[in-house]
Amino acid sequence: MQKILILGATSPIARALALKFACDGAILYLASRDANEARRVADDIGVRAGLAALSGTFDASDFPSHDEFIRHAANELGGLDGVVVCFGTLGDEDAAQADPDAAIATLHQNFTGAVSLITLAARHLEQQRSGFIIVIGSVAGERGRARNYVYGSAKGALALFAQGLRGRLAKSNVHVMTVKLGTVDTRMTWGREGALLTIPPAKAADLIYAAYRKRAEVVYVPSFWRFIMGAIRLIPESRFKRVSF
Ligand SMILES: NC(=O)c1ccc[n+]([C@@H]2O[C@H](COP(=O)([O-])OP(=O)(O)OC[C@H]3O[C@@H](n4cnc5c(N)ncnc54)[C@H](OP(=O)(O)O)[C@@H]3O)[C@@H](O)[C@H]2O)c1
């Protein structure tokens, strides 16, 4: 039985993904900032999958608590075979572009918090020489856009971090998969434009799980984002700085 820690478990994407792992017999520890909601998600998954799930809390920005949190989760699970990193927030981009504290908060919630937690979990997986880490990133990390470059830079940095970690952990038989997620219908994107390219969380989870089963390294979800971002990367900087999407 695989023992898997899901970080950001109240995200509907994480929740749908967790259900897939649970239906395949994994024991889960579901964590978010909101203890009650994490418990509700765990109970729901327990009923649907017929396998009790554990739950707990963490805060990506509370760095001193991370070591104890990872130890506690691994203890409760009775080991650790995999970690899914699905927490993040758009934050207040307007504030972040004007106020360094708001910018740093966005970076902590999307990048440095993940660096801290992944580094601690990776130490554990590397020592046992097996396991996996799934890092949910964003196509927003592929190119800095005027409208969301603080969030985008955090996701871009996270993708580079995951890429380097993948190389390091390959020697220890630990697999790292980076997900470059397009727009998914969640509270994060509610009320925003781009509905044509938006997919439901369950579809995102299906695609992520299929990629995990194939041991993909970098996956665009859905796959058409690979071509969209390929085209966007080709736009010369002198033009790109004038686009408003
Ligand atoms: N939706 C999209 O279109 C889209 C596109 C590309 C990438 N993504 C990425 O997909 C992931 C999931 O996002 P979502 O769309 O499902 O949004 P969501 O529903 O808002 O879920 C965000 C998750 O992150 C957790 N979280 C936020 N700040 C945290 C913190 N400081 N410490 C610990 N947990 C924290 C939330 O926990 P609480 O319940 O405690 O707040 C929640 O579980 C994020 O990494 C996001 O950047 C989403």
Side-chain angles (χ1 to χ4, degrees), residues 10-145:
T10 56
S11 145
I13 303 162
R15 189 176 174 147
L17 197 50
L19 184 59
K20 298 195 84 67
F21 277 112
C23 288
D24 268 357
I27 306 178
L28 303 180
Y29 189 101
L30 301 160
S32 76
R33 281 174 305 187
D34 183 335
N36 292 333
E37 193 55 25
R39 184 70 255 151
R40 274 193 285 274
V41 173
D43 289 346
D44 181 65
I45 286 174
V47 169
R48 287 171 197 265
L51 202 64
L54 302 160
S55 69
T57 58
F58 77 104
D59 189 325
S61 308
D62 184 7
F63 298 96
S65 68
H66 290 172
D67 191 21
E68 176 52 29
F69 166 73
I70 294 289
R71 282 175 203 276
H72 176 75
N75 264 342
E76 292 275 296
L77 283 167
L80 188 64
D81 300 307
V83 183
V84 178
V85 179
C86 194
F87 62 84
T89 162
L90 281 179
D92 181 341
E93 182 72 25
D94 289 339
Q97 294 193 8
D99 170 9
D101 288 342
I104 288 164
T106 298
L107 294 178
H108 284 345
Q109 284 153 9
N110 290 287
F111 176 54
T112 42
V115 167
S116 171
L117 289 153
I118 293 171
T119 299
L120 291 161
R123 198 193 281 171
H124 183 96
L125 299 176
E126 189 174 36
Q127 273 166 11
Q128 72 183 16
R129 301 189 68 79
S130 67
F132 69 88
I133 302 172
I134 299 176
V135 180
I136 309 291
S138 171
V139 294
E142 297 254 301
R143 198 155 185 188
R145 288 164 53 201

Side-chain angles (χ1 to χ4, degrees), residues 93 97 143-150 240-241 243-245:
E93 182 72 25
Q97 294 193 8
R143 198 155 185 188
R145 288 164 53 201
R147 274 177 46 186
N148 73 349
Y149 65 86
V150 179
F240 193 71
K241 71 181 182 189
V243 298
S244 60
F245 58 82

